Amino acid sequence: MAESNNFTCSGKLWKFLLFLSVVCIFLLLKFDGQKRKSFRGPEIKNVLYSSEGTEETRGKTSTKPSTKTTITAKETTTTQVAATTEITTLITPSTTPISSEKVTEETKCSPEQYILFLKTHKAGSSTMSNIFFRYGDSRDLSFVLGSDTLIGWPTRFRIGQALAFDGTRPNFLCSHTRFNKKAMNHLFPKDASKYVTIVRNPVKQFESAFNYMEIGRKFGFGTNPTEALKAFLKNGISFNDIRKSTLARNPQMFDLGLDFKFYQDAKAIKEYIEFLEKEFDLVLISDYFDESVVLMKRLLCWELDDVLYAKSNERLDKDKAPELSDDTKENIKRWNKADVLMYEHFNQTLWRRIEREGKDFYDDLTNFRRMKQELKTKCFSDKPSRQLIYGNKYAKGFTLKSDLPSDLQQKCGRMTRTENNYLAYLRNKRAAKLVGIYRAAPNEDDKEKVSWDAASDYKYVPVKKTR
């Protein structure tokens, strides 16, 4: 009986000691957990805040004032289960906060006023030049001007070919000239200027240039817009004959500076397109004119009103060729392979850039088209008109309404001014400001005897059957 009582007491004591051990272990674990939690706080703070007290927010750094901040941190256990813990800690950055006013000032753009626009033939470049003429004229900015419409073209641009400057850095170059990196970069430093050009679907552009410049007549194929073009494309022309008309093959790449001898060299063409992409901040696509000028407006930080336009130098209907046959279109693309590759490249880059602009780009585009239509309705009558461009060349013109208020009359009148007329006005305007003159050392043209047949990657093989 005594042994039974002793066993019962021993059992109770054992249970009590076991319970006491469990309680002690629980308290120790809890205390250890609190120590670990308090240790992890600064580590989480250091992840979110640098030693200078800056917070990383969407890839940008902004300073935070001293404040008591609640931070949600994720801890991963040994079983890799995430648990969210609220941690309150005192953050004391060492830098002073940036005011919201300063951030706004830094992110706001300023209008670009140093622009080189490289004109290409029959690609809407006269309309673009008018935009630049109006912008610069209204702000009394300066232009690089030639003695006529061209500045040295078809030779590469040289500073000495331009009229004397007024002793200050010019704001615009937008006359016909041929690209020359060294001379142009001297007048328009890349880090302080914007370089813009425009290109057009090579089939449409070549047909337009071929007939407008009467290339068929120069090579003995007559002046009929369709037949002369078909006859020319049956065989093309030789390398030695290209100088009769430098626009007779790859006219857009010629304006942009590619040498004749590389017209059939695949590697050279590819590398030159890559070179152009680095040189030009924006290549507009004439076939998507509205989209292009709205994109340019955003690049230059201008207003929509600054880039409103009326088409300039558009051919009369009688001077346009009828619809081309499929064979003729294909031959144009084969003959102008460098232009085709260049156009395809920059057409793709245009749409990639537009996509990056986001939805508000299309808001701008909608507003722009509305403003353009409103201005057209206010300014112009439906009466057909034509303008003398030069020599015996005429283009479609505009008839201003007779009852326009003076401000609209001036605005719409400038918009419809021909290129030659505007250039003559700008030359007269600059004459009074003339102070000095820059001269560039003459660069002799390459006299090396070469031929595009040195390479045959894109050797011209016309469609034999033409309609």
Side-chain angles (χ1 to χ4, degrees):
M1 187 70 177
E3 289 180 0
S4 176
N5 289 336
N6 289 337
F7 179 79
T8 302
C9 291
S10 298
K12 289 181 179 180
L13 180 61
W14 180 83
K15 289 181 180 179
F16 174 76
L17 291 174
L18 180 63
F19 172 77
L20 186 62
S21 299
V22 170
V23 170
C24 290
I25 292 171
F26 174 79
L27 291 174
L28 286 171
L29 289 173
K30 185 175 181 182
F31 178 75
D32 182 67
Q34 288 178 342
K35 283 182 67 179
R36 289 175 181 271
K37 192 180 294 184
S38 63
F39 176 73
R40 286 179 182 173
E43 288 186 336
I44 295 170
K45 180 190 74 172
N46 289 338
V47 169
L48 295 175
Y49 292 83
S50 70
S51 59
E52 291 78 23
T54 56
E55 181 184 4
E56 299 299 321
T57 308
R58 295 183 183 178
K60 296 182 180 179
T61 304
S62 62
T63 56
K64 287 279 186 179
S66 299
T67 180
K68 191 175 182 180
T69 309
T70 301
I71 304 172
T72 301
K74 289 187 178 180
E75 297 182 358
T76 305
T77 66
T78 54
T79 58
Q80 296 185 344
V81 177
T84 303
T85 308
E86 292 289 333
I87 302 173
T88 302
T89 182
L90 188 65
I91 309 299
T92 309
S94 61
T95 56
T96 56
I98 299 175
S99 69
S100 59
E101 293 180 1
K102 186 174 181 181
V103 172
T104 303
E105 289 174 1
E106 289 177 351
T107 56
K108 186 178 180 181
C109 64
S110 299
E112 298 285 346
Q113 296 193 338
Y114 294 96
I115 298 157
L116 184 144
F117 174 64
L118 198 289
K119 291 193 66 176
T120 51
H121 284 80
K122 308 310 295 177
S125 62
S126 293
T127 303
M128 288 301 307
S129 289
N130 183 271
I131 292 173
F132 294 122
F133 289 155
R134 287 184 284 118
Y135 186 92
D137 180 28
S138 64
R139 292 160 178 80
D140 202 29
L141 303 177
S142 60
F143 292 82
V144 179
L145 300 169
S147 57
D148 58 17
T149 310
L150 311 175
I151 303 181
W153 190 93
T155 62
R156 297 181 191 278
F157 174 78
R158 300 170 189 167
I159 298 174
Q161 295 167 337
L163 296 179
F165 301 104
D166 63 359
T168 61
R169 180 185 163 203
N171 297 97
F172 293 93
L173 192 164
C174 47
S175 295
H176 266 304
T177 190
R178 193 169 176 222
F179 188 70
N180 182 1
K181 174 180 170 61
K182 185 176 181 180
M184 289 178 170
N185 286 179
H186 176 72
L187 279 184
F188 293 86
K190 289 286 293 173
D191 61 349
S193 312
K194 293 298 182 186
Y195 280 58
V196 180
T197 189
I198 187 168
V199 297
R200 183 183 180 189
N201 182 311
V203 172
K204 297 177 181 178
Q205 190 274 342
F206 186 75
E207 181 278 318
S208 179
F210 185 90
N211 288 309
Y212 188 82
M213 307 299 289
E214 298 183 352
I215 293 174
R217 178 184 59 78
K218 293 176 182 178
F219 289 97
F221 296 111
T223 58
N224 182 282
T226 304
E227 296 306 316
L229 181 59
K230 286 170 62 177
F232 175 88
L233 290 169
K234 279 185 177 179
N235 296 296
I237 55 173
S238 71
F239 179 85
N240 292 329
D241 286 338
I242 189 68
R243 296 184 189 278
K244 291 181 182 178
S245 178
T246 53
L247 299 180
R249 190 175 192 183
N250 295 309
Q252 297 180 91
M253 282 289 259
F254 175 80
D255 284 336
L256 290 167
L258 182 66
D259 197 280
F260 304 132
K261 63 186 176 184
F262 298 121
Y263 280 4
Q264 296 182 168
D265 189 323
K267 184 173 183 291
I269 292 170
K270 179 179 181 294
E271 290 178 351
Y272 200 77
I273 292 170
E274 292 171 353
F275 162 75
L276 292 175
E277 184 163 26
K278 293 176 182 177
E279 285 299 306
F280 285 89
D281 297 283
L282 180 61
V283 177
L284 311 172
I285 301 296
S286 178
D287 310 84
Y288 306 101
F289 204 91
D290 286 357
E291 290 87 347
S292 292
V293 294
V294 170
L295 187 61
M296 185 186 76
K297 166 261 178 192
R298 295 163 79 94
L299 171 72
L300 302 181
C301 196
W302 288 8
E303 301 297 330
L304 287 175
D305 189 67
D306 296 327
V307 295
L308 291 173
Y309 68 89
K311 274 189 178 181
S312 298
N313 204 17
E314 183 182 3
R315 285 184 297 167
L316 301 174
D317 291 337
K318 71 179 184 65
D319 296 329
K320 297 179 181 179
E323 179 64 26
L324 302 175
S325 69
D326 290 342
D327 284 352
T328 300
K329 291 178 181 178
E330 179 61 25
N331 280 341
I332 288 175
K333 289 189 281 188
R334 293 186 183 191
W335 177 245
N336 299 284
K337 185 67 175 181
D339 271 8
V340 169
L341 293 172
M342 180 269 298
Y343 175 82
E344 289 175 348
H345 176 86
F346 286 113
N347 185 36
Q348 291 173 4
T349 62
L350 176 84
W351 291 105
R352 283 199 295 267
R353 291 185 67 160
I354 288 174
E355 185 178 1
R356 290 198 298 268
E357 290 292 310
K359 179 184 177 298
D360 60 341
F361 172 86
Y362 290 96
D363 295 336
D364 265 1
L365 182 61
T366 300
N367 289 332
F368 175 73
R369 285 174 169 161
R370 174 185 53 78
M371 292 168 63
K372 190 177 66 167
Q373 183 58 43
E374 288 175 355
L375 192 67
K376 180 181 178 181
T377 303
K378 289 178 181 177
C379 291
F380 309 126
S381 71
D382 295 329
K383 183 180 178 181
S385 175
R386 66 177 191 168
Q387 294 176 312
L388 178 65
I389 304 302
Y390 69 89
N392 63 345
K393 292 290 184 184
Y394 286 87
K396 289 183 178 181
F398 297 88
T399 303
L400 294 181
K401 290 183 176 179
S402 57
D403 56 347
L404 290 176
S406 58
D407 59 334
L408 265 184
Q409 190 173 32
Q410 183 183 58
K411 181 176 184 176
C412 301
R414 286 178 173 178
M415 195 175 291
T416 59
R417 213 169 192 169
T418 66
E419 184 174 7
N420 280 347
N421 184 288
Y422 224 134
L423 285 170
Y425 160 76
L426 291 172
R427 281 192 290 269
N428 290 333
K429 186 176 179 179
R430 67 159 267 292
K433 300 179 180 179
L434 188 60
V435 175
I437 187 169
Y438 294 121
R439 291 290 183 189
N443 297 317
E444 294 298 326
D445 289 335
D446 186 3
K447 302 297 184 183
E448 181 186 0
K449 292 182 179 180
V450 293
S451 168
W452 58 49
D453 290 317
S456 58
D457 305 294
Y458 297 130
K459 189 173 178 65
Y460 182 58
V461 181
V463 177
K464 295 302 180 183
K465 180 182 177 182
T466 57
R467 292 190 286 275

